[in-house]
Amino acid sequence: MSKFKVFSGTKSRYLALEIAKELGVELGKMNIQHFADGEFEVSYEESIRGAELFLVQSTFANTDNLMELLLMIDAAKRASAASITAVMPYFGWARQDRKDKPRVSIASKLVADLLSAAGVDSVVTMDLHADQIQGFFDVPVNHLYASSVFIPYIESLQLENLVIASPDVGGAKRANSFAKYFKTPLVLCHKQRSRANVVDTITIIGDVRGKDVVLVDDMVDTAGTICKAADLMKQAGANTVRAIASHAIMSDPASERVMDSALTEIIFTNSIPFDTEKCEKATVLSIAGLFADTIRRIFNNESISTSDNFLL
């Protein structure tokens, strides 16, 4: 695997190191030099001519992470890399995926165009906010699912009266996949918002009395929805309420809300770095093995969808 190299941006280095260890390779040497005005420059500190590159960088806030990735791709292209794959465990700006009101941007389409313009050959990401974002790209997109790490964890809990729930109607498809796998009922929550990140009302559709509920979502930002849903389900007679979410955005005051809520536990992946000391109810599962296996399969031209990483 001498022509196979893994590099990382600044904020995703913690995960890239885990992925490289799983692959049995050293993380590539790269330098990101910052200037006084906030501008920065990316340079590779080793030859990458003819190499297949995998650039690990999630594009969570702030926008420096996205800009770093774009410069990494551009520098690799100009250094004659054979192929460039952007490994984006968390694809930021994905919540803006359609024109749902007049005069609004579609940021996820713009990000896809920027990555293509920079010179990326393919993208690996996980649990996009909306599956149709894959269609915004003109290059191959390998869309992974965190279910391969969540399902074994849920099974280890040995919950006797398991029920899968979605905190909103938009996530029904995702939650239904888990419900089918576990052969359990599906409970939905219908929420109404007055504005972004502010939930006015939530209505539970389904029976949770005496049940061990697991709420399924792709991300938790301010935790307003997930905590209100958990509190309502506990009031409706649920035995325990847990939540799983692929991406721990956890903007303030999310940690405080989770700690004050009826949630027994909230489980994330490490697609975004999160310090569990901020929230004692949080558990973080590593996706390094999932991405390492996918990188290995891409390099060897093997099928990804037939692997054990696709449980749903």
Side-chain angles (χ1 to χ4, degrees), residues 7-8 15 37 76 97 100 131-132 151 180 194 235 244 253 271 298:
F7 291 87
S8 172
L15 180 55
D37 63 351
D97 63 338
D100 55 356
D131 287 349
Q132 65 265 23
I151 286 175
K180 283 184 176 180
S194 58
Q235 293 169 17
I244 59 174
S271 64
I298 292 172

Side-chain angles (χ1 to χ4, degrees), residues 101-287:
K101 58 184 179 181
R103 300 174 296 281
V104 67
S105 62
I106 305 179
S108 53
K109 168 60 174 168
L110 176 60
V111 172
D113 289 344
L114 288 170
L115 290 167
S116 296
V120 77
D121 294 299
S122 65
V123 172
V124 180
T125 189
M126 183 185 75
D127 285 342
L128 287 167
H129 188 62
D131 287 349
Q132 65 265 23
I133 291 173
Q134 297 173 73
F136 292 164
F137 288 87
D138 294 324
V139 298
V141 176
N142 296 288
H143 189 202
L144 309 182
Y145 299 93
S147 57
S148 61
V149 297
F150 284 139
I151 286 175
Y153 186 83
I154 295 171
E155 290 174 335
S156 72
L157 297 174
Q158 298 182 338
L159 302 173
E160 294 183 2
N161 300 301
L162 176 64
V163 165
I164 299 296
S166 174
D168 54 41
V169 176
K173 181 182 176 182
R174 182 181 300 106
N176 189 50
S177 297
F178 279 84
K180 283 184 176 180
Y181 181 89
F182 287 108
K183 297 181 174 61
T184 64
L186 175 65
V187 174
L188 299 178
C189 295
H190 174 64
K191 67 181 179 182
Q192 293 179 309
R193 292 185 184 271
S194 58
R195 62 183 186 277
N197 293 133
V198 178
V199 178
D200 287 336
T201 61
I202 294 180
T203 304
I204 299 175
I205 305 171
D207 182 23
V208 296
R209 186 171 299 277
K211 305 294 185 181
D212 295 302
V213 181
V214 175
L215 286 154
V216 178
D217 211 347
D218 65 315
M219 64 177 69
V220 173
D221 189 352
T222 59
T225 298
I226 210 87
C227 290
K228 280 193 175 184
D231 292 344
L232 279 174
M233 288 179 177
K234 194 68 175 178
Q235 293 169 17
N239 181 30
T240 61
V241 185
R242 288 175 171 82
I244 59 174
S246 303
H247 310 297
I249 300 174
M250 295 294 282
S251 306
D252 289 335
S255 294
E256 290 79 2
R257 284 176 173 171
V258 170
M259 290 302 298
D260 294 338
S261 74
L263 282 169
T264 302
E265 183 183 22
I266 187 164
I267 305 107
F268 301 113
T269 76
N270 60 344
S271 64
I272 298 174
F274 180 71
D275 185 359
T276 53
E277 291 185 1
K278 295 180 180 179
C279 181
E280 294 179 359
K281 290 184 178 182
T283 299
V284 177
L285 307 178
S286 178
I287 51 173

